Amino acid sequence: MCLLGGLVRSVMLGPFVQLRVAISTPGGMMPTAQGPAGPRRRLGVELRQLRRRAGLQLVEVAQELDCSASKISRLENGKGIPRMPDVVALMELYSVSDDGRRERLTQLVHESREQGWWERYTDGVQAERFVMNSPARYTALETEAVRVSSFEVMWVHGLLQVPDYTRAVLAELLSRTTDDQVEKLVELRLRRQEALTRRVPPLELVVVLDESVLSRVVGSPDVMAAQMRHLRERSELSNVTIRVLPFTVGLHRAHAGPFQILEFPDQAGSDVVFVEGPSGDTYENESDVDMYKDVLADVADRALGPDASREIVHRYELQHAPPGGRPR
């Protein structure tokens, strides 16, 4: 589980994938995400298109290359680190003769083998299947996304957490992680949050929070009050939408478990659903994405609007605050 962490009907009824153009800016502004996950995914999309154009099934390709079908599937899904000999062999099998396309695929392989900026924060952190079986993979995907949309029923989305809240969540759930490793993960969380304010264009974040997230005390009442204030402040950003699903709505099918939809600025069918569960993290794509989008659109319709959500967050801020003073 990534502990990381957002749809409003009016948002979703438009084109779900929006093509964004990255530009460099002065003053240390963070450019649109960089890392190997994007090139791996784009390479996978192209390889899948080439295979289908050639009229071949995964098992047939695997037989030709004398490997497993799961290896070809992983390449097409952007998982793992691609090897140049494998991609060259696939280009030959698919009769890719266009020099420009061959060069593009070759460049994607090189970019796919680069180290991600987040690895210095995750190196040495032990994975724990129940709560965090792949501390780097989600960050790699989020780095390439243009929009993250989620339903949260356990805790505040990671991109909206204050450090003390993050520290309390991680310390409670990661039984085999040292204090130093927890601090590295807190630093990673803060670095990820820069995508909301320092990236050009900024990451679009849409979160539906179950009201239980606001009432459940994480860390301490002081921490919760500070967290509520931060939620209000973040909700004022033009690229951040926060909606609260009140207790009065009752049970919704989204309560089956938290999930996130990550959208990317490339070919159709490339969006990913991230699901957290007791058996570990899972990533769904293609046909499953539409189902999750439908669930999220419905729960967002039943949630409070942004202004009313801001008001209820403020009420919980006052409720958690120490008597006679503002939260520290």
Side-chain angles (χ1 to χ4, degrees):
M1 164 168 41
C2 81
L3 319 179
L4 311 167
L7 255 47
V8 182
R9 178 74 67 175
S10 60
V11 172
M12 292 184 60
L13 289 181
F16 204 77
V17 178
Q18 300 180 5
L19 182 61
R20 312 286 180 88
V21 179
I23 58 175
S24 60
T25 62
M29 294 294 284
M30 184 179 177
T32 298
Q34 299 176 0
R40 290 175 191 173
R41 293 180 59 263
R42 289 191 290 275
L43 176 65
V45 168
E46 291 221 31
L47 291 176
R48 186 185 306 116
Q49 291 175 342
L50 289 168
R51 175 178 60 79
R52 290 174 175 173
R53 190 183 69 179
L56 296 172
Q57 300 295 318
L58 286 172
V59 64
E60 295 173 315
V61 175
Q63 289 173 349
E64 289 289 336
L65 269 64
D66 193 23
C67 66
S68 66
S70 63
K71 177 177 179 177
I72 306 302
S73 177
R74 285 179 60 82
L75 273 176
E76 292 187 359
N77 288 320
K79 300 177 181 178
I81 303 175
R83 297 174 61 251
M84 186 63 73
D86 294 333
V87 175
V88 170
L90 288 171
M91 287 192 287
E92 295 300 322
L93 179 62
Y94 301 150
S95 301
V96 181
S97 57
D98 179 76
D99 289 340
R101 190 161 200 177
R102 291 179 70 94
E103 183 178 348
R104 182 169 68 252
L105 292 173
T106 299
Q107 181 62 29
L108 286 173
V109 173
H110 289 306
E111 294 175 0
S112 296
R113 300 181 66 84
E114 294 178 356
Q115 187 178 54
W117 63 263
W118 54 86
E119 294 189 25
R120 69 186 184 92
Y121 300 100
T122 57
D123 283 348
V125 176
Q126 292 190 57
E128 296 194 34
R129 187 177 184 188
F130 184 75
V131 292
M132 189 175 64
N133 64 351
S134 181
R137 187 178 177 197
Y138 177 89
T139 303
L141 289 171
E142 184 186 80
T143 294
E144 302 292 337
V146 294
R147 179 187 294 164
V148 174
S149 306
S150 81
F151 175 69
E152 301 295 336
V153 70
M154 294 184 291
W155 40 66
V156 171
H157 191 286
L159 293 179
L160 299 172
Q161 294 176 6
V162 295
D164 283 341
Y165 186 98
T166 299
R167 196 170 286 112
V169 171
L170 294 177
E172 182 66 29
L173 296 178
L174 301 180
S175 60
R176 295 185 297 172
T177 306
T178 66
D179 290 345
D180 287 344
Q181 291 172 339
V182 167
E183 288 306 314
K184 287 176 64 176
L185 294 175
V186 172
E187 290 177 23
L188 172 61
R189 187 71 47 86
L190 292 173
R191 175 70 189 276
R192 286 175 43 227
Q193 292 175 3
E194 293 178 1
L196 297 177
T197 56
R198 299 189 63 201
R199 211 172 80 179
V200 180
L203 176 68
E204 189 173 339
L205 178 65
V206 188
V207 179
V208 179
L209 284 172
D210 190 77
E211 187 175 350
S212 61
V213 174
L214 308 181
S215 63
R216 182 179 298 112
V217 176
V218 174
S220 70
D222 277 3
V223 170
M224 288 301 299
Q227 179 62 72
M228 296 301 102
R229 185 170 70 254
H230 185 69
L231 279 178
R232 286 196 297 110
E233 293 170 350
R234 280 298 192 231
S235 71
E236 299 286 354
L237 294 174
S238 62
N239 56 306
V240 175
T241 301
I242 298 173
R243 291 189 174 227
V244 175
L245 184 70
F247 288 132
T248 54
V249 170
L251 189 65
H252 187 276
R253 56 180 174 159
H255 285 114
F259 60 90
Q260 301 183 64
I261 301 169
L262 296 94
E263 301 173 63
F264 303 92
D266 48 22
Q267 294 90 338
S270 65
D271 296 342
V272 173
V273 173
F274 171 77
V275 182
E276 303 170 298
S279 61
D281 304 342
T282 59
Y283 296 83
E284 312 289 346
N285 53 28
E286 296 192 356
S287 60
D288 291 317
V289 172
D290 289 337
M291 177 187 69
Y292 281 98
K293 287 181 181 179
D294 180 66
V295 171
L296 196 49
D298 186 53
V299 76
D301 264 355
R302 302 181 189 218
L304 300 173
D307 291 339
S309 296
R310 198 174 294 115
E311 291 176 6
I312 194 171
V313 169
H314 187 218
R315 290 204 299 271
Y316 274 101
E317 177 186 350
L318 297 176
Q319 176 180 313
H320 290 301
R326 284 175 55 82
R328 294 189 292 273

